[in-house]
Amino acid sequence: MSDEQELGITESKQYNTGEWYAEVVQKAGLANYGPEGMSGFIVTRPRAYALWERVQGYLDGLFKDTGVQNAYFPLFIPESYLEREKDIVEGFDPEVAWVTHAGREELEERLAVRPTSESIIAPYMAQWVRSHRDLPLRVNQWASVVRWEATETKPFFRTKEFLWQEGHTAHATHDDAWDETITRLDQYESVYEDLLAIPVLRGAKPDHDKFPGAHTTTTVEALMPDGKSVQAGTSHHLGTGFAEAFDLTYTDEDEETQVAHTTSWGLSWRSLGALIMTHSDDQGLVLPPTVAPEQVVIVPIWQADTQEKVLEYAEGIAEELEDAGVRVELDDRDERNPGFKFNEWELKGVPVRFEIGPNEVDDDVVTAVHRPDGESVELDRENIAEAVFEQFDEVYAKLYAAAEENLEANVREASSRNEILGTIGQHGGYVKAPWCGEESCEEEIKEQIAAEIVMVPLNDEESEIHHDEDCAVCGETAEETAYFAKSY
Ligand SMILES: [Zn+2]
């Protein structure tokens, strides 16, 4: 096989999305599968970890601006702690990995590898909170959790261990906890819309699909190009259930003991899966400049007699961009021709390529090529740093617009069971339908085409649109609007 073939993506995004995704992840150098006998685990390679660090840095900044402090809790949770909150145990039971031995000794109490950390964080928050003056209390941890699901591995979408952040807060009132829940949902929306160029829908999970024990689970959902929805981040209003189970109480201004209201919220590296899946194409990875490890690659094009002046010109530009804070790579490898370099950097998803040959040097310009669509623009050498940021904005806008077009074209309505099945079967995407609120009606759809209710509207206006119509599945009076979709 020649180098060119090894670089190329052979699967089609449109016709073979799953295989195409796996190939992009491998060939763009993002992840490897874990060792034999450990299916469901992946190795995150530096290029993917760099993307995660961008998400992390952005979100961590938003958290810290809004009163969140980072902390770290143990990887293991004693079984008795998990059991204090029965809903959690029930919700995660089949997915919990247990440690039973330390060396050769059997442990007196087995330890769960955290599937989420409410049950180990809440007892400590209970110790830290005494009076209303200690509230609100907000802690976040960047960590990994383990959920031993027996599904097929899909890097960043479905893995037994995954990276995430989990925030946990306590508040004096129900309304304060609700404001917190929405603040975090807003921030998750911003990660997708302002950093990853992916528009999302906001909503709540239906009651039967909430976080175990939660009052309300809110969600942002992103539509993938194959018509499936990704639960892209969730923020839970936990009510007082957890606080009661873990004695998280405070004394109010009248010295009365009150139970706190808590929230938890998490965003995982699934965001990377959505990023890769949404923008990439049959040439490989496509990234917005906001997160790309290299924002610009400079490929000099020379003959023996022009090499020196082209290289010098290119180096000057690279330096200027670097000084301006641009992540820039000058690919001056002698043993590779420009065509090879173009393919390689396209595969790796560098959003803007500068082509610099003798003509560019003579005319004092740079040819800039946009990765998503190959559009090429001539930029003046003067003010090149300013011009490149404009190019970044244009590339970002193109990616966002394409994703938005896909989303807008794929929210449809249905008023009967067959219409739901037919529409999702044919087009994928979201189908809005009047729903009575019964899980059994979702089950009927699930059994037929593996689509579920991914969300119901958060605002009253939208949820009342279908109020008093007939449930599309059973014909009883509808309580709200349901968004049906297949999901990751
Ligand atoms: Zn129904």
Side-chain angles (χ1 to χ4, degrees):
M1 233 201 291
S2 78
D3 287 341
E4 305 280 337
Q5 280 167 323
E6 274 173 38
L7 277 184
I9 299 294
T10 58
E11 300 286 354
S12 151
K13 181 178 189 182
Q14 187 180 354
Y15 299 109
N16 231 345
T17 313
E19 287 77 5
W20 163 85
Y21 176 83
E23 198 182 9
V24 170
V25 165
Q26 293 260 351
K27 288 192 172 170
L30 299 173
N32 293 139
Y33 293 96
E36 212 176 311
M38 276 180 60
S39 75
F41 292 84
I42 61 167
V43 173
T44 310
R45 297 184 63 181
R47 289 188 69 74
Y49 203 82
L51 297 174
W52 180 239
E53 284 176 321
R54 299 265 161 223
V55 171
Q56 213 174 16
Y58 182 81
L59 197 49
D60 207 58
L62 295 180
F63 288 165
K64 285 178 179 154
D65 286 346
T66 45
V68 181
Q69 291 180 305
N70 285 330
Y72 188 78
F73 291 80
L75 167 65
F76 303 121
I77 302 176
E79 186 167 19
S80 56
Y81 276 52
L82 264 187
E83 276 178 351
R84 281 173 80 177
E85 192 19 69
K86 285 195 203 70
D87 287 327
I88 286 204
V89 191
E90 253 170 52
F92 288 98
D93 192 33
E95 300 173 4
V96 175
W98 295 100
V99 177
T100 55
H101 287 76
R104 291 187 186 133
E105 299 288 311
E106 189 170 342
L107 297 176
E108 257 172 56
E109 179 178 7
R110 56 180 192 157
L111 304 174
V113 180
R114 61 182 167 218
T116 180
S117 303
E118 276 77 5
S119 56
I120 193 158
I121 293 181
Y124 287 89
M125 288 174 71
Q127 290 180 31
W128 301 339
V129 171
R130 288 284 169 256
S131 90
H132 61 95
R133 282 179 296 274
D134 300 322
L135 297 175
L137 175 64
R138 301 181 175 98
V139 292
N140 174 66
Q141 75 171 348
W142 290 96
S144 75
V145 290
V146 170
R147 296 179 189 173
W148 212 274
E149 294 177 271
T151 48
E152 205 186 329
T153 311
K154 199 177 190 76
F156 309 115
F157 281 118
R158 286 241 171 259
T159 51
K160 290 192 175 93
E161 179 187 17
F162 56 87
L163 295 179
W164 79 343
Q165 60 67 218
E166 49 178 314
H168 300 267
T169 68
H171 306 266
T173 68
H174 180 92
D175 287 352
D176 288 351
W178 181 248
D179 289 345
E180 177 76 16
T181 306
I182 296 302
T183 297
R184 303 311 155 197
L185 193 69
D186 288 344
Q187 293 177 343
Y188 291 161
E189 183 177 35
S190 176
V191 166
Y192 285 91
E193 301 202 336
D194 304 325
L195 185 74
L196 303 179
I198 303 173
V200 290
L201 297 178
R202 300 154 59 97
K205 288 289 165 188
D207 278 349
H208 59 263
D209 194 26
K210 299 186 299 201
F211 183 82
H215 175 272
T216 309
T217 287
T218 64
T219 179
V220 286
E221 300 280 327
L223 182 64
M224 296 296 101
D226 61 355
K228 291 187 192 169
S229 184
V230 170
Q231 180 179 303
T234 48
S235 181
H236 314 283
H237 188 313
L238 297 172
T240 52
F242 278 86
E244 275 160 14
F246 293 98
D247 293 324
L248 212 178
T249 58
Y250 67 96
T251 50
D252 66 14
E253 286 169 21
D254 304 322
E255 298 294 319
E256 302 278 340
T257 301
Q258 304 285 352
V259 180
H261 301 255
T262 63
T263 78
S264 69
W265 21 277
L267 181 137
S268 78
W269 71 11
R270 191 172 257 221
S271 52
L272 302 188
L275 171 74
I276 299 160
M277 180 72 89
T278 299
H279 303 303
S280 303
D281 59 23
D282 289 352
Q283 275 67 55
L285 188 63
V286 175
L287 297 171
T290 39
V291 294
E294 304 90 1
Q295 297 168 300
V296 178
V297 60
I298 302 176
V299 179
I301 304 164
W302 61 57
Q303 306 292 334
D305 58 333
T306 53
Q307 180 167 4
E308 202 185 318
K309 77 167 180 180
V310 166
L311 201 53
E312 194 186 323
Y313 185 79
E315 279 168 352
I317 289 171
E319 250 170 59
E320 194 174 326
L321 292 186
E322 219 170 276
D323 289 345
V326 177
R327 299 189 290 277
V328 57
E329 173 85 21
L330 170 60
D331 188 352
D332 56 1
R333 288 176 295 174
D334 221 353
E335 73 281 9
R336 296 293 188 197
N337 65 42
F340 179 93
K341 293 178 183 178
F342 291 176
N343 288 339
E344 185 175 89
W345 293 110
E346 276 179 8
L347 174 69
K348 289 183 170 175
V350 180
V352 175
R353 177 173 78 229
F354 278 6
E355 299 176 6
I356 295 173
N359 292 337
E360 276 81 6
V361 179
D362 292 341
D363 298 346
D364 250 339
V365 294
V366 167
T367 300
V369 181
H370 296 177
R371 167 66 179 89
D373 60 357
E375 191 196 345
S376 114
V377 203
E378 197 173 85
L379 306 176
D380 286 333
R381 167 70 183 84
E382 219 190 333
N383 303 326
I384 190 69
E386 226 168 277
V388 81
F389 285 106
E390 281 166 26
Q391 300 304 306
F392 292 166
D393 289 345
E394 277 181 35
V395 169
Y396 192 93
K398 280 180 190 176
L399 294 175
Y400 191 90
E404 192 175 38
E405 198 181 317
N406 179 50
L407 175 59
E408 282 173 359
N410 285 292
V411 182
R412 299 181 177 84
E413 302 245 0
S415 55
S416 73
R417 190 174 166 283
N418 283 344
E419 218 182 326
I420 296 173
L421 295 172
T423 307
I424 295 179
Q426 194 185 345
H427 305 285
Y430 301 102
V431 171
K432 292 161 68 170
W435 175 50
C436 63
E438 292 298 324
E439 188 177 1
S440 56
C441 286
E442 182 194 37
E443 283 299 326
E444 259 191 63
I445 302 296
K446 226 184 221 174
E447 276 163 24
Q448 298 278 331
I449 50 165
E452 57 194 282
I453 297 174
V454 294
M455 58 173 240
V456 297
L458 255 182
N459 65 40
D460 292 341
E461 243 169 75
E462 206 194 336
S463 51
E464 274 166 18
I465 291 176
H466 291 109
H467 212 77
D468 293 335
E469 288 181 25
D470 296 340
C471 171
V473 184
C474 70
E476 298 290 319
T477 308
E479 294 287 329
E480 55 191 335
T481 304
Y483 282 68
F484 287 88
K486 294 189 180 183
S487 78
Y488 274 94

